Amino acid sequence: MSSRETVDFIYEAHERIKPFVHKTPVYTNTTFNNLIGKEAFFKCENLQKTGSFKARGALNTVAYSSGNHGLATAWASRLAGVKCSVVVPKTTSEFKVTAVQGYGAEVVKCEYDPISRLEACETIATKEGYEIIHTSDHDDVIHGQGTIALELLQEVPDLDAILVSASGGGMISGIAIAAKAINKNIKIFMVEPKGKMAEESLRSGKRLWPNPPQFIDTIAEGLMSQQLGNLTFPIICRLVEKEVFTVGNEDIINGMVFSFRYMKMVIEAAAGATVAAAMSEKLKQMDPGIKKIGVILCGGNIDILKLPWYSSTY
Amino acid sequence: MSSRETVDFIYEAHERIKPFVHKTPVYTNTTFNNLIGKEAFFKCENLQKTGSFKARGALNTVAYSSGNHGLATAWASRLAGVKCSVVVPKTTSEFKVTAVQGYGAEVVKCEYDPISRLEACETIATKEGYEIIHTSDHDDVIHGQGTIALELLQEVPDLDAILVSASGGGMISGIAIAAKAINKNIKIFMVEPKGKMAEESLRSGKRLWPNPPQFIDTIAEGLMSQQLGNLTFPIICRLVEKEVFTVGNEDIINGMVFSFRYMKMVIEAAAGATVAAAMSEKLKQMDPGIKKIGVILCGGNIDILKLPWYSSTY
């Protein structure tokens, strides 16, 4: 266990970022609770600055370096007064690209694969003398995201479990570090899109993913990395449950539709995934001692002119 | 002025309904403020029980009578344990019909005009021995809706103006009674769909609408009545500004899109209308003393599988 994997860093991150980010509300929904037969507490990071939890980690990082991870880093860089380039796959929705540019950052497009992304980052970093800030595999980012759990448990201290979706795993690592330090009995469950195959790796403690790293074919832009990070994987193996909630595109859409329709919350697909997991038969049939569940609505950055349930593909 | 047009009844209504309805949050949005050059405070009644402010008036009424006005009355009736039939025009979205039935109320469909609606109500009321509760032209309903202003001004006491959309005028009457009693200098502005032609009537103090009463051709289901009520019209003439904000379907859609995209809030067209008014040139060019504006997001009951910006009609 790295010396930086303690909740103290997360409390410090919280002090640092608190003046600039929202303490997002925690919502409950009677219809949802009746449906799942448990009590769900939705942490609304879709209402966070820049429309996602990423603002937390980005701001905690950029506080002392220039950086690169999307909208949140662009926003944080503007706050910190530093220059910023953001590398995105060319499939990224124009809506997000425009938002990044709106914060004054440069957008560079790359192919839809992790290698191409890394190469583009390195080229710019060398040319401009920038530091590369990984979207999740970075201590400061992890600590920033962990502040979500501090706020959620402050509001609902007796949660039995938290459902968190994972791409690189920065958010779930930070949440697990913070939540387990506050209540060692709380269970942290990972929600993944089909094709991530995280459960095998979690159970064996070994990185069983094929190389080179690839992106998953999912409607959840925020969950496209197949592999967990080198820094996040061991944290997750130690603190997160081995049972993973795997959701397909249809499940994700159902989760989003529920949220739009009954909670009046615009959420992106990565958040729809956690709602779907909370609605799943798998959760219903789990340990009946799991009654109060935190559900992280990680973001709301979706192109509302191209909602997935209007597309003929799904 | 009727003896019941005082804020005292609204404070009493608040005490009565408070345990059952949400104290909805008031949101601000930096992007929006930059856009309009003023500070806007969004009162999120889309997050209210039943998805709209109507829960307030319905509950205040049904506390001592059975009733009829849509989803909120169905919900309030179930809470109060009384039977309830809801008459809706046959154009009402299936989503709303299903929701009403979900609360155990009977749904009766009528033609899309106010006369047909009244006749259907009277037939059922006679047959079943029910009382007819008007959607807006009823003291208890007006007092219930007025509680929105109590909460909003408690949170933001120094508002210069409030923008409220009107159909029958129950919500704007209640809000005007409460807000003007708390701060006599506050300005209450009506937002109307094209075709309502309220400004002429407000300026003359006379009901200049054509008879028989008719519904307007608008995408805002919640704003279909052309005429203000017999009870609400004199209140509005006395307390509401004569300058009316008139918005077309395109403006309404722009307001909704802004809310979905940047505020991550699902709102219905009647709320999109107030957002559109807040974004309008008319507001920008008004008295520069109007700096802090309350914007009532009256509801979020929209069929998200049929959002208006996906329809070829608009």
Side-chain angles (χ1 to χ4, degrees), chain A residues 144-165:
Chain A
Q145 319 312 27
T147 61
I148 297 169
L150 299 185
E151 291 178 8
L152 177 58
L153 288 169
Q154 190 181 33
E155 200 140 336
V156 194
D158 56 347
L159 284 181
D160 301 305
I162 303 178
L163 292 170
V164 197
S165 56

Side-chain angles (χ1 to χ4, degrees), chain A residues 236-283:
Chain A
I236 292 166
C237 285
R238 213 176 65 251
L239 299 175
V240 170
E241 300 302 308
K242 306 299 179 215
E243 278 172 293
V244 172
F245 287 80
T246 307
V247 292
N249 285 342
E250 272 194 48
D251 306 315
I252 291 174
I253 290 175
N254 286 339
M256 293 174 79
V257 166
F258 187 95
S259 169
F260 275 63
R261 186 178 276 164
Y262 296 107
M263 298 164 59
K264 316 303 177 192
M265 284 281 147
V266 172
I267 58 172
E268 61 184 83
T274 56
V275 177
M279 292 164 74
S280 68
E281 273 306 307
K282 182 171 181 145
L283 183 71

Side-chain angles (χ1 to χ4, degrees), chain B residues 29-197:
Chain B
N29 184 279
T30 311
T31 308
F32 194 83
N33 290 347
N34 291 342
L35 185 72
I36 72 166
K38 297 175 184 288
E39 274 183 279
F41 298 85
F42 298 94
K43 177 71 169 163
C44 297
E45 289 292 301
N46 59 327
L47 304 179
Q48 187 51 270
K49 289 276 182 188
T50 78
S52 93
F53 74 97
K54 294 272 183 185
R56 297 173 185 263
L59 188 58
N60 192 45
T61 311
V62 158
Y64 40 90
S65 67
S66 67
N68 162 55
H69 65 100
L71 195 51
T73 308
W75 165 80
S77 298
R78 196 177 62 172
L79 263 184
V82 296
K83 283 174 71 184
C84 170
S85 293
V86 174
V87 176
V88 298
K90 61 187 183 188
T91 53
T92 301
S93 56
E94 270 313 300
F95 159 68
K96 251 186 208 170
V97 169
T98 310
V100 169
Q101 290 165 335
Y103 287 121
E106 180 199 28
V107 172
V108 178
K109 295 194 177 179
C110 68
E111 294 302 311
Y112 187 79
D113 72 79
I115 304 294
S116 159
R117 180 171 67 176
L118 185 62
E119 283 171 0
C121 286
E122 283 175 349
T123 305
I124 299 163
T126 308
K127 188 172 148 224
E128 305 281 348
Y130 287 177
E131 182 179 343
I132 298 173
I133 306 290
H134 196 280
T135 62
S136 55
D137 221 23
H138 188 294
D139 270 334
D140 299 326
V141 172
I142 293 170
H143 298 149
Q145 318 312 26
T147 61
I148 297 169
L150 299 186
E151 290 177 9
L152 177 58
L153 287 169
Q154 190 182 33
E155 200 140 336
V156 195
D158 56 346
L159 285 182
D160 301 305
I162 304 178
L163 293 170
V164 197
S165 56
S167 187
M171 176 168 59
I172 196 168
S173 296
I175 286 177
I177 293 170
K180 288 283 197 180
I182 294 167
N183 169 10
K184 68 177 169 34
N185 294 319
I186 198 168
K187 286 178 164 39
I188 312 297
F189 289 105
M190 182 187 298
V191 180
E192 63 164 19
K194 263 183 196 154
K196 190 177 187 71
M197 305 184 297

Side-chain angles (χ1 to χ4, degrees), chain A residues 22 25 27-28 30-31 46-47 49-51 95 103 256-267 300-310, chain B residues 22 25 27-28 30-31 46-47 49-51 95 103 256-267 300-310:
Chain A
H22 291 306
Y27 282 141
T28 58
T30 311
T31 307
N46 58 327
L47 305 179
K49 289 275 182 189
T50 77
F95 158 68
Y103 287 120
M256 293 174 79
V257 166
F258 187 95
S259 169
F260 275 63
R261 186 178 276 164
Y262 296 107
M263 298 164 59
K264 316 303 177 192
M265 284 281 147
V266 172
I267 58 172
N301 287 330
I302 185 157
D303 186 345
I304 65 132
L305 304 182
K306 291 181 187 162
L307 291 166
W309 51 89
Y310 285 96
Chain B
H22 292 306
Y27 283 140
T28 59
T30 311
T31 308
N46 59 327
L47 304 179
K49 289 276 182 188
T50 78
F95 159 68
Y103 287 121
M256 294 174 78
V257 166
F258 187 95
S259 169
F260 275 64
R261 187 178 274 163
Y262 296 107
M263 297 163 61
K264 316 302 177 191
M265 284 279 148
V266 172
I267 59 172
N301 287 330
I302 185 158
D303 186 344
I304 65 131
L305 304 182
K306 291 180 186 160
L307 291 166
W309 51 89
Y310 285 97

